[in-house]
Every structure is written in C-alpha cells, then in structure tokens.
C-alpha cells in the first residue's frame, strides 16, 4: 500500500488487521520467532514503520498496551461468554473499539458503526450483533 492519506475508516480497518495478526502470533506457542508489532504494521501497510500514519500507530500501540484492562471490561459485558472463546477477528474489533471508546477518540455511535461495518465484512453472520451490544454497553457506561 503506497503511503497515501487514508480515511479514518481505512485506518481503523488496517489497525484491526494488525491487532488480529498480533493476537494470532500471541496465541501461537510453537512459533519461536514471533513478529513484533512494528513488523506487522510495516507488512500490513506495505511501507516502513516510520512512514505510517501517527494516529494509526498510536491506536494500535494504545490498544495492545492496555489489552488486559480492555479484555476485563469486554468480558464484563459478555453474557455467558469469555473473551478467549471469541474468534480472533471479533477480539481484534472489540479491543480496538473499546480503546477508541475509552479514550474518546470518536463519538460512541461512530465507533460502533465502524466496528459493526468491519464485523459485517470480516466476521460470521452473528458477530456484528454482539459486537454492537458490547460496544454500546461500554460506550454508555463511559459516556
């Protein structure tokens, strides 16, 4: 991907992909040479890490740095489920947009709309419903 100005929606999509890949590598116990997040970002964006959008890098690092806190918050909103039972794509979307909501990066409804759109494109048919519900609960609690 050439270094062009990306829309916030496209930045969120690429960030979700990076977070997904990070979570994937984190779950692979047998892989000894795991990619660092900077490598993942460079691979996804197809430019050097330093050339990537500052907002893009910030939302990824913020999400990964605080993921344990975000997982606790997400799990408190899941009914009869644990975060670990969710597929990695659902996890990546929920982590990214929980971070966005808690750090007031965008209005609640905008975060939810973008997350649901990503869920429609990348997740199974029912995922968008509980992603919507969980993020709505988090947004209302932190408004």
């Amino acid at each position: 991907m050439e270094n062009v100005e990306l829309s916030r929606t496209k930045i969120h999509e690429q960030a979700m992909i990076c977070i997904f890949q990070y979570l994937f590598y984190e779950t692979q116990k047998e892989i000894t040479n795991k990619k660092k997040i900077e490598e993942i970002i460079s691979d996804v964006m197809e430019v050097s890490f330093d050339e990537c959008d500052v907002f893009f890098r910030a939302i990824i690092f913020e999400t990964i740095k605080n993921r344990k806190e975000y997982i606790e918050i997400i799990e408190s909103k899941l009914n009869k489920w644990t975060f670990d039972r969710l597929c990695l794509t659902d996890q990546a979307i929920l982590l990214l947009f929980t971070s966005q909501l808690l750090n007031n990066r965008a209005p609640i409804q905008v975060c939810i709309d973008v997350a649901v759109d990503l869920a429609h494109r990348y997740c199974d048919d029912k995922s968008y419903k509980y992603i919507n519900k969980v993020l709505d609960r988090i947004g209302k609690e932190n408004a």
Side-chain angles (χ1 to χ4, degrees):
M1 178 176 293
E2 59 187 74
N3 192 12
V4 295
E5 189 78 22
L6 298 174
S7 70
R8 287 288 170 111
T9 300
K10 189 65 176 173
I11 287 173
H12 282 109
E13 179 178 14
Q14 299 295 57
M16 184 273 298
I17 292 168
C18 289
I19 293 166
F20 168 86
Q21 287 187 19
Y22 178 85
L23 294 171
F24 172 79
Y25 282 112
E26 195 176 63
T27 62
Q28 302 304 304
K29 308 284 188 246
E30 66 278 356
I31 297 176
T32 55
N33 190 20
K34 296 180 182 181
K35 285 188 174 186
K36 294 180 179 171
I37 190 61
E38 294 86 355
E39 293 175 89
I40 293 170
I41 291 170
S42 292
D43 289 350
V44 169
M45 297 305 290
E46 298 176 358
V47 295
S48 74
F49 174 76
D50 293 333
E51 294 177 53
C52 292
D53 183 89
V54 175
F55 172 76
F56 175 74
R57 291 184 306 195
I59 63 174
I60 293 171
F61 280 106
E62 188 174 85
T63 301
I64 290 171
K65 177 182 162 204
N66 298 307
R67 74 186 175 284
K68 289 181 181 171
E69 173 191 343
Y70 299 156
I71 289 169
E72 287 179 20
I73 292 167
I74 292 164
E75 279 193 328
S76 73
K77 308 300 181 241
L78 292 171
N79 290 331
K80 302 176 187 173
W81 279 80
T82 61
F83 187 79
D84 293 355
R85 288 182 62 195
L86 303 175
C87 73
L88 292 179
T89 310
D90 296 355
Q91 290 180 14
I93 291 170
L94 285 167
L95 284 170
L96 176 61
F97 288 97
T98 296
S99 175
Q100 296 294 284
L101 289 169
L102 296 179
N103 293 294
N104 298 312
R105 296 267 189 192
I108 294 168
Q109 198 55 52
V110 172
C111 286
I112 293 171
D113 289 348
V114 175
V116 166
D117 181 53
L118 289 173
H120 275 295
R121 287 190 282 163
Y122 289 96
C123 303
D124 69 31
D125 291 339
K126 296 181 182 177
S127 293
Y128 79 92
K129 292 177 183 177
Y130 69 80
I131 287 173
N132 184 355
K133 194 173 285 188
V134 168
L135 292 175
D136 186 57
R137 289 175 181 164
I138 292 169
K140 285 178 181 172
E141 187 174 283
N142 294 288

